[in-house]
Amino acid sequence: MTGEGPATGTGEFALIDKVFKPLAAETPAALGLTDDAAVLAPAPGRELVLTKDAMVAGVHFLETDAPGDIARKLLRVNLSDLAAMGARPIGYLLATFWPEKLALDWIMEFADGLRLDQAEFGIGLLGGDTVRTPGPLSLSLTAIGDVPAGGALRRNAAREGDLIVVSGRIGDAALGLLSLTGELAGLPDAERDYLRGRYHLPVPRLALGAALVGKVRAAIDISDGLIADIGHIAEESKLGALLDWEKVPLSAAARAALARDTALIEPILTGGDDYELAFTLPPGDAGLLEALAGAGGVPLTVIGEMTAGDGVRVRRPDGTEIPLKARGWQHF
Amino acid sequence: MTGEGPATGTGEFALIDKVFKPLAAETPAALGLTDDAAVLAPAPGRELVLTKDAMVAGVHFLETDAPGDIARKLLRVNLSDLAAMGARPIGYLLATFWPEKLALDWIMEFADGLRLDQAEFGIGLLGGDTVRTPGPLSLSLTAIGDVPAGGALRRNAAREGDLIVVSGRIGDAALGLLSLTGELAGLPDAERDYLRGRYHLPVPRLALGAALVGKVRAAIDISDGLIADIGHIAEESKLGALLDWEKVPLSAAARAALARDTALIEPILTGGDDYELAFTLPPGDAGLLEALAGAGGVPLTVIGEMTAGDGVRVRRPDGTEIPLKARGWQHF
């Protein structure tokens, strides 16, 4: 591990000693963060899976978010990528770009968040870098997991006629973000807190992802939005997708919000950050879903099917198509 | 691979298609960058080595540096960490934080730099993320290599009496940086260009690192500065180190600069960025050095020995100790 600290009066190596080494203490591959790199081999018969996500204050999280929540979300969005591939998590490397005025207390709270989720998901810090930036707090995390050799779930494996299945509830995180930014007001407190919580602290569907290996065809996590991510499966599989709006699983809070404002159908279908899994399997395998839901610890819902053609369409119960302006998370 | 692009008029997925997918085209583990993660297994009998370094415009490189050079230096400093562990490189994941006004041309030149060095070092892009930042251009790269199982070089393996050996020439990069920032003027053009080149485009000593596996005790790359990095070996090995100033290998350009200003001994010994390797081996194994230099394609020089005690001392030919104010690269 290498790096510099923020202007906390704590030198770079002291910061690594104080903040990061404890996070690596139980991970032999990290070599105690004393060396230039971590050393790691997958267990026999397994392959490593590597993913990397970056986040910037003011763009991907709010400056006022709790430091521990920022840390946990960073970790969890990466773990969700592992879940989408069917991988079980092993550990992570972390690059932190600290603004010069960031307080050491802030960093310690950030580290507390990492510690909580390391325990939650059975992973450890493997290495990384910590540098100073004149810009906003920025973070990059590389998560490492493993899958049975040859078993990684892919986006490109859907076939025409496959059922499309999603885990959990869709749209909560997008509504939570609208609430946080003030664009969705008037929610009862309990619904507001639930939706914001779904935005702040997604639950990577790791047990489900691991259970899907060898059982389903294509898989993805819903980070860009339901339409965009089903669209990724469709595009990579050279197919289209047809979703039934009334089958899309909504939380009670989302249903209540939607009852007050039907225009929320748009963020629910196209907003990101739910970090549920979507996958496809042949109609004849629908009988597997109950066992998969049990193994994953999360409800599963069939919401549509893969079709010939391309693109993702969503139909109402009367058969008409729902027009959607946005197609998912893009920064333009 | 996931991400957003800068405000170039190019959407995130178009940017990935245009800039990044070509860089991953020859790396099967990258899965064409179509999925959430890369899938990788070390060859039989080998382990993976993972390292991550971060860089920020204005802190770790100059805003005016050529985009291709920035890309190559980012890659090379990470490859140098692999070299220090004795690993051969496989590929990398890249997180880019693009300022909003960055031109697409700049990004294409950056990608050209990556392409050059991918060919140079036989590696490929495995995945990553690209996001937008209101701050300075920031970069984080995770490099992956492999070593024979159990063979990774460590910092903590030096023993008392070991010879301390460095590759190449020491101090060039620190002098090059002083020249770039205007603190070292009056250099002849050829010397100036040589020293600046050593700062801009370090050469990771990968062949040497691989040749050291199983042959030497402790190893490190010289990124923080000669004194600091020998200090890391000393600290992790619970020893001290005694260096002979007149043995420290200097380039002709560094010798000439030093002849004009003897105070340059300080940046030469404590400045970073040389990315040479330092390692230790028993005095009885000194006969290996010629073969190791041949395998590594770089001269090797014995500059001192590991001692009891702690700390790093540098002595002059008359036996007096050189006082050093700075102990290496820290941002405070």
Side-chain angles (χ1 to χ4, degrees):
Chain A
M1 177 134 188
T2 51
E4 312 133 29
T8 54
T10 307
E12 61 176 294
F13 299 115
L15 192 74
I16 291 172
D17 282 349
K18 190 178 172 89
V19 178
F20 294 109
K21 283 191 179 175
L23 296 172
E26 292 171 31
T27 314
L31 308 178
L33 300 188
T34 58
D35 282 75
D36 287 295
V39 180
L40 189 67
R46 300 183 72 90
E47 295 174 312
L48 292 182
V49 175
L50 301 104
T51 186
K52 188 178 180 90
D53 272 315
M55 289 174 32
V56 177
V59 180
H60 304 92
F61 56 90
L62 307 173
E63 307 253 6
T64 51
D65 288 348
D69 283 355
I70 294 169
R72 298 172 80 188
K73 182 157 185 180
L74 173 68
L75 203 44
R76 287 167 178 229
V77 302
N78 279 282
L79 294 181
S80 181
D81 283 331
L82 295 184
M85 305 290 284
R88 63 183 186 194
I90 295 173
Y92 64 101
L93 295 96
L94 175 65
T96 52
F97 303 74
W98 303 121
E100 301 183 30
K101 288 181 184 166
L102 200 65
L104 184 59
D105 280 355
W106 198 101
I107 296 175
M108 298 304 290
E109 283 181 49
F110 181 86
D112 284 341
L114 294 175
R115 188 172 299 113
L116 267 177
D117 271 3
Q118 287 191 186
E120 170 92 21
F121 299 109
I123 59 177
L125 178 65
L126 293 171
D129 198 4
T130 173
V131 300
R132 191 179 66 156
T133 179
L137 173 66
S138 303
L139 304 160
S140 168
L141 192 143
T142 300
I144 296 133
D146 69 1
V147 286
L153 301 171
R154 301 287 309 274
R155 299 177 177 180
N156 64 2
R159 296 197 202 157
E160 188 178 342
D162 274 4
L163 301 178
I164 299 169
V165 182
V166 294
S167 66
R169 307 285 175 240
I170 300 301
D172 287 342
L175 299 182
L177 178 58
L178 289 177
S179 165
L180 283 162
T181 58
E183 293 163 83
L184 176 59
L187 292 170
D189 286 0
E191 292 177 9
R192 180 198 63 199
D193 293 348
Y194 166 80
L195 294 171
R196 290 181 177 188
R198 288 272 289 164
Y199 171 76
H200 276 310
L201 211 59
V203 177
R205 300 301 184 190
L206 288 157
L208 176 63
L212 299 182
V213 172
K215 300 284 201 307
V216 305
R217 285 188 171 142
I220 196 169
D221 69 324
I222 302 174
S223 53
D224 294 335
L226 180 67
I227 302 301
D229 288 310
I230 299 294
H232 294 317
I233 287 181
E235 184 182 351
E236 297 301 335
S237 301
K238 301 186 186 355
L239 292 171
L242 178 61
L243 307 184
D244 290 305
W245 161 244
E246 84 280 11
K247 293 182 184 168
V248 175
L250 302 183
S251 66
R255 283 196 184 282
L258 191 63
R260 288 187 295 272
D261 180 1
T262 56
L264 293 174
I265 192 170
E266 177 99 16
I268 286 171
L269 287 173
T270 65
D273 279 322
D274 282 322
Y275 297 100
E276 296 294 344
L277 295 187
F279 60 91
T280 82
L281 80 179
D285 290 348
L288 294 174
L289 290 176
E290 195 175 347
L292 291 173
V298 60
L300 298 176
T301 310
V302 176
I303 61 167
E305 64 175 25
M306 301 302 298
T307 65
D310 58 21
V312 181
R313 291 169 298 138
V314 188
R315 67 181 169 192
R316 301 187 187 88
D318 66 6
T320 59
E321 195 173 329
I322 298 177
L324 294 167
K325 290 189 294 270
R327 308 303 297 183
W329 172 252
Q330 289 225 21
H331 249 294
F332 312 103
Chain B
M1 180 137 187
T2 50
E4 313 133 28
T8 55
T10 307
E12 59 176 294
F13 299 115
L15 192 73
I16 291 172
D17 282 348
K18 188 178 173 91
V19 177
F20 293 109
K21 283 190 179 176
L23 295 171
E26 290 171 30
T27 314
L31 307 177
L33 300 188
T34 58
D35 282 74
D36 287 295
V39 180
L40 190 65
R46 298 183 74 90
E47 295 174 311
L48 292 182
V49 175
L50 301 104
T51 186
K52 186 176 181 91
D53 273 314
M55 288 173 34
V56 178
V59 180
H60 304 90
F61 55 90
L62 306 173
E63 307 253 6
T64 49
D65 288 348
D69 283 355
I70 294 169
R72 297 173 81 188
K73 182 158 185 179
L74 173 68
L75 203 45
R76 286 167 178 230
V77 301
N78 278 282
L79 295 181
S80 181
D81 284 330
L82 295 184
M85 305 290 285
R88 65 183 185 194
I90 295 173
Y92 65 100
L93 294 96
L94 175 65
T96 52
F97 302 75
W98 302 121
E100 302 183 27
K101 288 181 182 167
L102 201 66
L104 184 60
D105 279 355
W106 198 100
I107 296 175
M108 298 304 288
E109 283 182 50
F110 181 87
D112 284 342
L114 294 175
R115 187 173 300 112
L116 267 178
D117 271 3
Q118 288 190 188
E120 171 91 20
F121 299 108
I123 59 178
L125 178 64
L126 293 171
D129 197 5
T130 174
V131 300
R132 190 179 65 157
T133 179
L137 174 65
S138 303
L139 303 160
S140 168
L141 192 142
T142 301
I144 296 132
D146 69 2
V147 286
L153 301 171
R154 300 287 307 275
R155 298 177 178 181
N156 65 2
R159 298 199 201 155
E160 189 179 340
D162 273 5
L163 301 177
I164 299 169
V165 183
V166 294
S167 66
R169 306 288 174 238
I170 300 300
D172 287 343
L175 299 181
L177 178 59
L178 288 177
S179 165
L180 283 161
T181 58
E183 293 162 82
L184 177 59
L187 292 169
D189 286 1
E191 293 177 9
R192 181 198 62 201
D193 293 348
Y194 165 80
L195 294 171
R196 291 182 176 187
R198 288 272 288 163
Y199 171 77
H200 277 311
L201 210 60
V203 177
R205 300 300 185 190
L206 288 158
L208 176 61
L212 299 181
V213 172
K215 299 284 201 308
V216 304
R217 286 189 171 142
I220 196 169
D221 69 326
I222 302 175
S223 53
D224 294 335
L226 180 66
I227 303 300
D229 288 311
I230 299 295
H232 293 317
I233 286 181
E235 184 183 351
E236 297 302 336
S237 301
K238 302 187 190 338
L239 291 172
L242 178 61
L243 308 183
D244 290 305
W245 161 244
E246 84 279 9
K247 293 182 182 168
V248 174
L250 303 183
S251 66
R255 284 195 184 284
L258 190 63
R260 288 187 295 271
D261 179 1
T262 56
L264 292 175
I265 191 171
E266 176 98 17
I268 286 171
L269 287 173
T270 64
D273 279 322
D274 280 324
Y275 297 100
E276 296 294 345
L277 295 188
F279 60 93
T280 82
L281 82 177
D285 290 349
L288 294 174
L289 290 175
E290 195 176 345
L292 291 174
V298 61
L300 297 177
T301 310
V302 176
I303 61 167
E305 62 175 26
M306 301 304 296
T307 65
D310 58 20
V312 180
R313 290 168 299 138
V314 188
R315 66 181 170 194
R316 300 187 187 89
D318 66 7
T320 58
E321 194 172 328
I322 298 178
L324 294 167
K325 290 188 294 272
R327 308 303 298 182
W329 171 253
Q330 290 226 20
H331 250 293
F332 313 103

